[in-house]
Amino acid sequence: MTDPADTPRVLTVRPTAQEYAWTFGGAAPVARIAPGTVLDVHTEDCFGGRVRTADDLVSRVCEFPYVNPQTGPFHVEGAEPGDTLAVHFVSVEPRRDWAASTTVPLFGALTATHATAALHPPLPEAVWIWELDRERRLCRFTARDSDHTLTLPMEPMHGTVGVAPANLEARSALVPDAHGGNMDTPEMRAGVTCYLGVNVEGALFSLGDGHARQGEGETCGVAVETAMHTVVIVELLKGVATPWPRIESDTHLISTGSARPLEDAFRISQLDLVQWLARDFGLSELDAYQFVTQAVESPLANVCDSNYTCVAKLRKKWLPPAEVHGGLHAELRRRAAALR
Amino acid sequence: MTDPADTPRVLTVRPTAQEYAWTFGGAAPVARIAPGTVLDVHTEDCFGGRVRTADDLVSRVCEFPYVNPQTGPFHVEGAEPGDTLAVHFVSVEPRRDWAASTTVPLFGALTATHATAALHPPLPEAVWIWELDRERRLCRFTARDSDHTLTLPMEPMHGTVGVAPANLEARSALVPDAHGGNMDTPEMRAGVTCYLGVNVEGALFSLGDGHARQGEGETCGVAVETAMHTVVIVELLKGVATPWPRIESDTHLISTGSARPLEDAFRISQLDLVQWLARDFGLSELDAYQFVTQAVESPLANVCDSNYTCVAKLRKKWLPPAEVHGGLHAELRRRAAALR
Amino acid sequence: MTDPADTPRVLTVRPTAQEYAWTFGGAAPVARIAPGTVLDVHTEDCFGGRVRTADDLVSRVCEFPYVNPQTGPFHVEGAEPGDTLAVHFVSVEPRRDWAASTTVPLFGALTATHATAALHPPLPEAVWIWELDRERRLCRFTARDSDHTLTLPMEPMHGTVGVAPANLEARSALVPDAHGGNMDTPEMRAGVTCYLGVNVEGALFSLGDGHARQGEGETCGVAVETAMHTVVIVELLKGVATPWPRIESDTHLISTGSARPLEDAFRISQLDLVQWLARDFGLSELDAYQFVTQAVESPLANVCDSNYTCVAKLRKKWLPPAEVHGGLHAELRRRAAALR
Amino acid sequence: MTDPADTPRVLTVRPTAQEYAWTFGGAAPVARIAPGTVLDVHTEDCFGGRVRTADDLVSRVCEFPYVNPQTGPFHVEGAEPGDTLAVHFVSVEPRRDWAASTTVPLFGALTATHATAALHPPLPEAVWIWELDRERRLCRFTARDSDHTLTLPMEPMHGTVGVAPANLEARSALVPDAHGGNMDTPEMRAGVTCYLGVNVEGALFSLGDGHARQGEGETCGVAVETAMHTVVIVELLKGVATPWPRIESDTHLISTGSARPLEDAFRISQLDLVQWLARDFGLSELDAYQFVTQAVESPLANVCDSNYTCVAKLRKKWLPPAEVHGGLHAELRRRAAALR
């Protein structure tokens, strides 16, 4: 870990249209960074910024597989398989005063898809342009088929955060799996630290897919998609393995699992949380199983992507006194505060 | 609907050990009640009160299928298929200062089961007796394999609430499905109104399976199980169909779905919420699909029972101004307040 | 077991429209029979004979839940929970020279359903009347949208065979589960013996849902449905448990499993086959697991019903020399031959 | 297509241990071949030949991710996205007189896995060495825990056959998906033609994972694994898309689908077969849906890999007279015969 007394190195990244990655793994790093580096980055929305009006149907303006652009990847010096990257989200702020959501043919939870294959023709393709009131932190929805205008709180987050996968693979940025990727959980917001197991030398971290907000499950498959200005601190934990992405907030420990069917994603995330309690909080696995059963919050993340993602959350104040990774999250919170 | 100005009829039910039902459908009604009746009932815990110490292993003290006893069923006068029962929970209070949780061989989410069949021997069978501090509203956990004692808020709820199923069926009280039953959602607590579609004449409502609290997903298969003193008001909505159980709280509309795999439970609950918005709030189905996608909360209920249960919640204050069922929930809140 | 030297008792059953059962469990027995009885029965098709022309859409002519009529139930004297019923199919012969198949709104594998819920409108509803050439054992298909006429072998079978379920339940005749029911496997044909675990006193056996033939998986949800004249011998194995329905043919041992998701049905059927080999053929479970892995045939039965059904088949000639249930299947074959 | 009158080019490939590929996509081609080329190749078993005795536990002798070595990839000249590769299997012959099968910790259908996560410790790890009698075409099994020796027919096949995937991905050779890969279907045997949609320039075809035989579903996760000497003819169909791998034999049309849960793999394979009939045999989709429902065979391929694989087979003699791809399969059969 870097000495927190040091002035942090800051890397500012403003990618051009040609500089995004479309996969985790298989893309050349855009920069090498030392552990402790502050990344001040721009991300583009999942459409590559091409959906701007109600007429910009995805099937017309987007060109597969060039969707869900990622800023990165960043080679983290010294990162090796078996280590863990700790990515602290200092800030996640929309760069536009609008965002887009859409239906996409044969994609989403309440439709036939390429996997849940059926004889139905696709549902109608549509675009909703949401207005973002960044000052008042609001997202404004305008209905297409009635006069309703509705307002939701803005709660910016990143749908896609990850490292290169194991097993020599390169995965589309649309896929969530053990390497992170397109998990689409609203938990990935400013103020949290995300722990990602390193699978390849340099880790090859990237992020993208900003959402001004998102419901749990991302039912239609597309959130309130927008470009982001995001600041993260990237730390490295040597010799610490993290099999599935974990998140720590000021209040919660959060495990994730991504798989199909959805109960397997649930099983992965809950078992990970049980094993986290056993590793760091002195409970036996069976006691942790019992305690998690009564204490866990289990909001869905996505039920639309190539793998579905479940989240298992536990309130830290309910746990025995103990620190995760030597108090790293609190330390990163302090470093983040010092950046302002 | 009954005239709220009337003094409500109150039926007090204190079942003996022989008077519980073990199924939804197929059990003779214990009483006939008029719509508007206040039921003041006792329920027994899912073990029939037989698990009292750490030595009372379920496989030793319980006799299948006589588990998860239900108080009822109640024949609601005038209820016919195509109607909806509105059950308002006035209060749900533990009747004991302790509760029990256990593992059960081949039952739960992180174990081989009779359906997710495997060659593993069952996990160890164990009992945890929780202390309930009803005054301070706390549940105290004592670990078996370490010295930890942990405390969680008491949040009493009913795991099992339902009516007789359709299709001439009788279902075990362990099963959740379109008739309600063993949904095991923490949303079923004091202050909410549960809407249940009526499938047979008289509806045949029952309830049981009180939990002093429960995590989302009920991971090990067993919550903090205890006997309850519960008061509900039972109302009848004639000519209103409710395909899957819905819940209304002061703050949220809540749809449920129970199925396997878990993504089907998700699909059912989310589609139901979309169609609820379309029916009562003037949005088209496609606009509702988009709005739900960004606004919904999707906490899991159970991922351990014969069917898994998902919940889809929407904050009422975010919706267009409209009343569900003519404001029945608010009216029932008023009647409940008048009972105290 | 009955003395095979006795002249078998034969019970002839020709139900009227009012005499069918619509559930397993919950229906009064139509007759009491002694073990060894030959049942000579008529069954009606799953539509209750109401779909007779291309205009007889299911949604128009059928009245739910009165679909899939079952002949029975038969109370088998002496049958108790923990015993096994052995039902030998002597003959299964269509009673008509035509059969019907249809699509049914929101039912089938390649469509949105009530469980795999989606926003699509239902697929078109249609009827196909198949011609049965009983002499040449052929089924003739006439396409609706082109001039094609195609011919398939007639391979009569029963989609629905079962006993009353455990756990005090009554299940719709549309449901397959551990009690048998609507398994829809082409293996249930003349010449086989079906083993069913007894859950209630008298077992309460019934059968129906004749198919002139069916593909594996019953993709659209409806086979070539027709009325049958069927003869079975019903035997009783005292003190022998059978957790999931098994079938024995002259050539194969066949285990079944019914569950969702489909991999759970697979797991149940394969584990049952492994345990069958361990019980009767002297292999350890681990050796049986290995041998089954290399030798099993795994044709799907149905992927459309409330539970999906998988079949696991093993060629008897590949197994160590041993007899199942003391050679009962061969004995029943002899008795069946003597009936002709 | 190449002129069949030409003397075919033959490429003989005998890879060294360093020359295998471990992924589909992401590996450099080992050779460029013209359409029509005959590939005469050796493949190594899934263990890279390291499991040779009962003591060679996979966890001890194999080094992940270097398992399931593939011979290739081969760059097919002229192949572009939107084309189809036709790979005809001339012969598939074991190169050894023994084969190995094993259990692998947390892998297989009847065990907790990394995805179907549970608290159970792994099942026992074991190795079975099978004897291959290549002259009599038999596989001999020796039980570990009893004296049984059992014999099964040798039916050689390739578990893994595929091209580089779409979406810029590289997938582990353990994964089956739309690009083919580790489908593990016994249908992939000598005499069939496999159609694979091309996703990248040159297609990048490879194959491996020979099985002396395999049951349907590959229950324990590992077949009778052996090294193969295999001859294929690789043809190219320009401008013909094939969304999921298809196989044509002398008797059957065979569609495949690979996904989780297993019902999605079923849906994909059955819909593909319906659409194949609609494309090539003049049936409407609805008529094809009906006909497939009654005629299809649906044997499982694998229910253990990262995706599960289903197969949907239809007997060609039952179909309207028509040729697939202008009779290519028959032509390749002729060319194969000429090679002997």
Side-chain angles (χ1 to χ4, degrees):
Chain A
M1 206 179 341
T2 47
D3 180 345
D6 287 358
T7 303
R9 277 153 293 191
V10 178
L11 179 66
T12 301
V13 181
R14 303 289 181 263
T16 64
Q18 284 68 46
E19 290 172 339
Y20 291 106
W22 311 97
T23 54
F24 287 85
V30 296
R32 292 174 72 93
I33 60 174
T37 297
V38 175
L39 289 176
D40 178 315
V41 305
H42 277 190
T43 64
E44 190 39 280
D45 71 29
C46 69
F47 310 114
R50 295 181 178 204
V51 176
R52 295 157 185 269
T53 73
D55 294 330
D56 294 335
L57 300 184
V58 170
S59 64
R60 194 179 299 153
V61 302
C62 292
E63 183 194 356
F64 287 84
Y66 301 102
V67 289
N68 206 18
Q70 300 300 304
T71 298
F74 300 96
H75 178 112
V76 181
E77 289 166 356
E80 295 168 303
D83 298 341
T84 288
L85 223 58
V87 179
H88 182 71
F89 285 82
V90 178
S91 59
V92 180
E93 287 298 315
R95 293 196 287 121
R96 295 182 183 132
D97 58 5
W98 59 273
S101 191
T102 69
T103 51
V104 175
L106 300 181
F107 183 66
L110 300 184
T111 170
T113 68
H114 293 287
T116 306
L119 286 160
H120 299 280
L123 296 179
E125 198 174 350
V127 174
W128 292 262
I129 300 297
W130 289 67
E131 181 190 346
L132 303 185
D133 182 338
R134 289 178 287 181
E135 194 170 329
R136 298 168 64 201
R137 313 297 289 174
L138 296 173
C139 302
R140 290 217 183 83
F141 167 75
T142 303
R144 292 167 51 93
D145 303 324
S146 63
D147 287 337
H148 290 295
T149 304
L150 302 172
T151 304
L152 296 173
M154 195 168 83
E155 301 185 279
M157 52 161 280
H158 277 282
T160 311
V161 172
V163 293
N167 300 324
L168 312 173
E169 291 202 316
R171 303 305 308 274
S172 158
L174 295 170
V175 176
D177 210 323
H179 67 284
N182 197 23
M183 296 179 284
D184 282 322
T185 168
E187 308 294 338
M188 202 72 80
R189 61 188 196 283
V192 306
T193 305
C194 176
Y195 303 111
L196 295 162
V198 175
N199 302 299
V200 305
E201 202 188 307
L204 299 180
F205 166 76
S206 16
L207 80 172
D209 194 24
H211 299 165
R213 72 167 286 118
Q214 180 205 307
E216 292 166 356
E218 208 183 7
T219 316
C220 85
V222 185
V224 184
E225 311 281 342
T226 195
M228 291 289 177
H229 175 200
T230 293
V231 178
V232 297
I233 307 173
V234 179
E235 245 328 327
L236 180 63
L237 289 157
K238 290 296 295 178
V240 174
T242 301
W244 283 89
R246 290 175 175 175
I247 301 170
E248 185 175 355
S249 72
D250 291 354
T251 55
H252 285 82
L253 302 184
I254 304 170
S255 287
T256 70
S258 296
R260 289 189 178 202
L262 185 54
E263 52 262 45
D264 274 2
F266 175 82
R267 288 173 178 130
I268 292 167
S269 63
Q270 299 277 325
L271 180 61
D272 186 77
L273 188 57
V274 165
Q275 294 178 332
W276 194 350
L277 294 203
R279 185 190 75 180
D280 288 354
F281 293 87
L283 291 171
S284 72
E285 281 204 349
L286 209 63
D287 280 331
Y289 188 29
Q290 169 63 208
F291 187 71
V292 162
T293 297
Q294 316 312 344
V296 72
E297 297 165 65
S298 308
L300 293 168
N302 94 72
V303 192
C304 56
D305 294 324
S306 328
N307 285 313
Y308 304 137
T309 303
C310 271
V311 156
K313 299 174 64 169
L314 206 51
R315 214 168 264 282
K316 289 154 82 169
K317 72 174 179 191
W318 292 345
L319 287 168
E323 279 187 334
V324 175
H325 299 318
L328 176 60
H329 172 73
E331 162 60 23
L332 289 166
R333 285 294 259 169
R334 282 187 289 274
R335 285 197 232 165
L339 290 174
R340 282 167 199 168
Chain B
M1 207 179 342
T2 47
D3 181 345
D6 286 358
T7 302
R9 277 154 292 191
V10 178
L11 179 66
T12 301
V13 181
R14 302 290 180 263
T16 65
Q18 285 67 45
E19 289 172 339
Y20 291 105
W22 310 98
T23 54
F24 287 84
V30 295
R32 293 174 70 94
I33 61 173
T37 297
V38 176
L39 289 176
D40 179 315
V41 304
H42 278 190
T43 62
E44 191 36 281
D45 70 29
C46 69
F47 309 114
R50 295 181 178 203
V51 177
R52 294 156 186 269
T53 74
D55 293 330
D56 294 335
L57 301 184
V58 170
S59 64
R60 195 179 299 153
V61 303
C62 292
E63 184 194 354
F64 287 85
Y66 302 102
V67 288
N68 206 18
Q70 300 299 306
T71 298
F74 300 95
H75 178 112
V76 181
E77 289 168 357
E80 295 169 302
D83 298 341
T84 288
L85 221 59
V87 178
H88 182 72
F89 285 82
V90 178
S91 59
V92 180
E93 287 299 317
R95 293 196 286 122
R96 296 183 182 131
D97 57 5
W98 59 274
S101 191
T102 70
T103 50
V104 176
L106 301 181
F107 184 67
L110 300 184
T111 170
T113 67
H114 294 286
T116 306
L119 285 160
H120 298 280
L123 296 179
E125 198 173 350
V127 174
W128 292 262
I129 300 296
W130 289 66
E131 181 190 345
L132 303 186
D133 181 338
R134 289 178 286 181
E135 196 170 329
R136 299 167 65 199
R137 316 293 290 173
L138 296 174
C139 302
R140 290 215 183 85
F141 167 76
T142 303
R144 292 167 51 92
D145 303 324
S146 63
D147 287 338
H148 290 295
T149 304
L150 302 172
T151 303
L152 297 173
M154 195 170 81
E155 302 185 278
M157 51 161 280
H158 277 282
T160 312
V161 172
V163 292
N167 299 325
L168 311 173
E169 290 202 315
R171 303 306 306 276
S172 158
L174 295 169
V175 177
D177 209 322
H179 68 283
N182 196 24
M183 296 179 285
D184 282 322
T185 168
E187 309 294 338
M188 202 71 79
R189 62 188 197 282
V192 307
T193 305
C194 176
Y195 303 111
L196 295 162
V198 175
N199 302 300
V200 305
E201 203 188 306
L204 298 179
F205 165 75
S206 18
L207 81 171
D209 194 24
H211 298 164
R213 73 166 285 119
Q214 181 206 305
E216 292 166 357
E218 206 182 8
T219 316
C220 85
V222 185
V224 185
E225 311 282 342
T226 196
M228 291 288 177
H229 175 200
T230 292
V231 178
V232 297
I233 307 173
V234 179
E235 245 329 327
L236 180 63
L237 289 157
K238 291 296 297 176
V240 174
T242 302
W244 284 89
R246 291 175 175 175
I247 300 170
E248 185 175 355
S249 72
D250 291 354
T251 55
H252 284 82
L253 303 184
I254 304 170
S255 287
T256 71
S258 296
R260 288 190 177 201
L262 186 55
E263 52 262 44
D264 274 2
F266 176 82
R267 288 172 177 130
I268 292 167
S269 64
Q270 299 277 324
L271 180 61
D272 186 77
L273 188 58
V274 165
Q275 294 179 331
W276 194 351
L277 294 202
R279 185 190 75 180
D280 288 353
F281 294 86
L283 291 171
S284 72
E285 281 204 347
L286 209 62
D287 280 330
Y289 188 30
Q290 169 62 208
F291 186 70
V292 162
T293 297
Q294 316 311 345
V296 72
E297 296 164 66
S298 308
L300 292 168
N302 95 73
V303 192
C304 57
D305 294 325
S306 328
N307 286 311
Y308 304 137
T309 302
C310 271
V311 156
K313 299 174 65 171
L314 207 49
R315 217 168 261 282
K316 289 154 83 168
K317 74 175 178 190
W318 291 345
L319 287 167
E323 279 187 333
V324 174
H325 299 318
L328 177 61
H329 172 73
E331 161 60 24
L332 289 166
R333 284 296 257 170
R334 281 189 290 274
R335 283 198 232 166
L339 289 175
R340 283 165 200 171
Chain C
M1 208 180 338
T2 46
D3 179 346
D6 287 358
T7 303
R9 276 154 292 191
V10 178
L11 178 66
T12 301
V13 180
R14 303 288 181 261
T16 64
Q18 284 68 46
E19 290 172 339
Y20 291 106
W22 311 97
T23 54
F24 286 86
V30 296
R32 293 174 71 92
I33 60 173
T37 298
V38 176
L39 289 176
D40 178 315
V41 305
H42 278 190
T43 63
E44 191 37 281
D45 70 28
C46 69
F47 310 114
R50 294 181 178 203
V51 176
R52 294 157 185 269
T53 74
D55 294 330
D56 294 334
L57 301 184
V58 170
S59 64
R60 195 179 298 154
V61 302
C62 292
E63 183 194 356
F64 287 84
Y66 302 102
V67 289
N68 206 19
Q70 300 300 305
T71 298
F74 300 97
H75 178 112
V76 181
E77 289 167 357
E80 294 169 303
D83 298 341
T84 288
L85 222 58
V87 178
H88 182 71
F89 285 83
V90 178
S91 60
V92 179
E93 287 299 316
R95 293 196 286 120
R96 295 182 183 131
D97 58 5
W98 59 273
S101 191
T102 70
T103 50
V104 175
L106 301 180
F107 184 67
L110 300 184
T111 170
T113 68
H114 293 287
T116 306
L119 285 161
H120 298 280
L123 295 179
E125 198 174 350
V127 175
W128 292 263
I129 300 296
W130 289 67
E131 181 190 346
L132 303 186
D133 182 337
R134 288 177 288 180
E135 196 170 328
R136 300 169 63 199
R137 315 295 291 173
L138 297 173
C139 303
R140 290 216 183 83
F141 167 76
T142 303
R144 293 168 50 93
D145 303 325
S146 63
D147 287 338
H148 290 295
T149 305
L150 302 172
T151 303
L152 296 174
M154 195 168 83
E155 302 185 277
M157 52 161 280
H158 277 282
T160 312
V161 173
V163 291
N167 299 326
L168 311 174
E169 291 202 316
R171 303 305 307 275
S172 158
L174 295 170
V175 176
D177 209 322
H179 69 283
N182 196 24
M183 296 179 284
D184 283 321
T185 168
E187 309 294 339
M188 202 71 80
R189 60 187 198 283
V192 307
T193 304
C194 176
Y195 303 110
L196 295 161
V198 175
N199 301 300
V200 304
E201 203 188 306
L204 299 179
F205 166 75
S206 15
L207 80 171
D209 194 22
H211 299 164
R213 73 166 286 119
Q214 180 206 305
E216 292 166 356
E218 207 184 8
T219 317
C220 85
V222 185
V224 184
E225 311 281 343
T226 195
M228 291 289 176
H229 176 198
T230 292
V231 179
V232 297
I233 307 173
V234 179
E235 243 333 322
L236 180 63
L237 289 158
K238 291 296 295 178
V240 174
T242 302
W244 283 88
R246 292 175 175 175
I247 301 169
E248 185 175 357
S249 72
D250 291 354
T251 55
H252 285 80
L253 302 184
I254 304 170
S255 287
T256 70
S258 296
R260 290 190 177 200
L262 185 55
E263 53 262 45
D264 275 1
F266 176 81
R267 288 173 178 130
I268 292 167
S269 63
Q270 299 277 325
L271 180 61
D272 186 76
L273 188 57
V274 165
Q275 294 179 331
W276 194 350
L277 293 204
R279 186 191 73 182
D280 287 353
F281 293 87
L283 291 171
S284 73
E285 282 203 348
L286 209 62
D287 279 331
Y289 188 29
Q290 169 62 208
F291 187 70
V292 162
T293 297
Q294 316 311 345
V296 73
E297 297 165 64
S298 307
L300 293 168
N302 95 72
V303 192
C304 56
D305 295 323
S306 327
N307 287 311
Y308 304 137
T309 302
C310 270
V311 156
K313 298 174 65 169
L314 207 49
R315 215 168 263 281
K316 288 154 83 169
K317 73 174 179 192
W318 292 345
L319 287 168
E323 279 187 333
V324 175
H325 299 318
L328 177 62
H329 173 72
E331 161 61 23
L332 289 166
R333 285 295 258 169
R334 282 189 288 274
R335 284 198 232 166
L339 290 174
R340 281 167 200 165
Chain D
M1 206 180 338
T2 46
D3 180 344
D6 286 358
T7 302
R9 278 153 291 191
V10 177
L11 180 66
T12 301
V13 181
R14 304 288 181 263
T16 65
Q18 285 68 47
E19 289 172 340
Y20 291 106
W22 311 96
T23 54
F24 287 85
V30 295
R32 294 173 70 93
I33 60 173
T37 296
V38 176
L39 289 176
D40 178 314
V41 305
H42 278 191
T43 63
E44 190 39 279
D45 71 29
C46 68
F47 310 114
R50 296 181 178 203
V51 177
R52 295 157 185 268
T53 74
D55 294 329
D56 294 335
L57 301 184
V58 170
S59 64
R60 195 179 298 155
V61 303
C62 292
E63 183 194 355
F64 287 84
Y66 301 102
V67 288
N68 207 18
Q70 300 299 306
T71 299
F74 300 95
H75 179 112
V76 182
E77 289 167 358
E80 294 169 303
D83 298 342
T84 288
L85 223 57
V87 178
H88 182 72
F89 285 82
V90 178
S91 59
V92 180
E93 287 298 316
R95 293 196 286 121
R96 296 182 183 132
D97 57 5
W98 60 273
S101 191
T102 69
T103 49
V104 175
L106 300 181
F107 184 65
L110 300 185
T111 169
T113 68
H114 293 287
T116 306
L119 285 161
H120 298 279
L123 295 179
E125 197 173 351
V127 174
W128 292 262
I129 300 296
W130 289 67
E131 181 191 345
L132 303 185
D133 182 337
R134 288 177 288 182
E135 196 170 328
R136 299 168 64 200
R137 314 295 289 174
L138 296 173
C139 302
R140 289 215 184 84
F141 167 75
T142 303
R144 292 168 50 93
D145 303 324
S146 63
D147 287 338
H148 291 295
T149 305
L150 301 172
T151 304
L152 296 174
M154 195 169 82
E155 301 185 278
M157 51 162 280
H158 277 282
T160 312
V161 172
V163 292
N167 300 324
L168 312 173
E169 290 202 316
R171 302 306 307 276
S172 158
L174 295 170
V175 177
D177 209 322
H179 67 283
N182 196 23
M183 295 178 285
D184 282 321
T185 168
E187 310 293 339
M188 202 72 80
R189 62 188 197 283
V192 307
T193 304
C194 176
Y195 303 111
L196 295 161
V198 175
N199 302 300
V200 306
E201 203 187 306
L204 298 179
F205 165 75
S206 15
L207 81 172
D209 194 22
H211 299 165
R213 72 167 284 118
Q214 180 205 307
E216 293 166 356
E218 207 183 9
T219 315
C220 85
V222 185
V224 184
E225 310 282 343
T226 195
M228 291 288 177
H229 176 199
T230 292
V231 178
V232 298
I233 308 173
V234 179
E235 246 327 327
L236 181 63
L237 289 157
K238 291 295 297 177
V240 174
T242 301
W244 284 88
R246 291 174 175 174
I247 300 170
E248 185 175 356
S249 72
D250 292 353
T251 55
H252 285 82
L253 302 184
I254 304 171
S255 288
T256 70
S258 297
R260 288 191 178 199
L262 186 54
E263 53 261 44
D264 274 2
F266 176 82
R267 288 172 177 130
I268 292 167
S269 63
Q270 299 277 323
L271 180 61
D272 186 76
L273 188 57
V274 165
Q275 294 179 333
W276 195 350
L277 294 204
R279 185 189 75 181
D280 288 353
F281 293 87
L283 291 171
S284 72
E285 282 203 348
L286 209 62
D287 280 331
Y289 188 29
Q290 169 62 208
F291 187 70
V292 162
T293 296
Q294 316 311 345
V296 73
E297 296 164 66
S298 307
L300 293 168
N302 95 73
V303 191
C304 55
D305 294 325
S306 328
N307 286 311
Y308 304 136
T309 303
C310 270
V311 156
K313 298 175 64 170
L314 207 49
R315 214 168 264 281
K316 289 155 82 168
K317 72 175 179 190
W318 292 345
L319 287 168
E323 280 186 332
V324 174
H325 299 318
L328 177 61
H329 172 72
E331 162 60 24
L332 289 166
R333 285 294 258 169
R334 281 188 290 273
R335 284 198 232 167
L339 290 174
R340 284 170 199 166

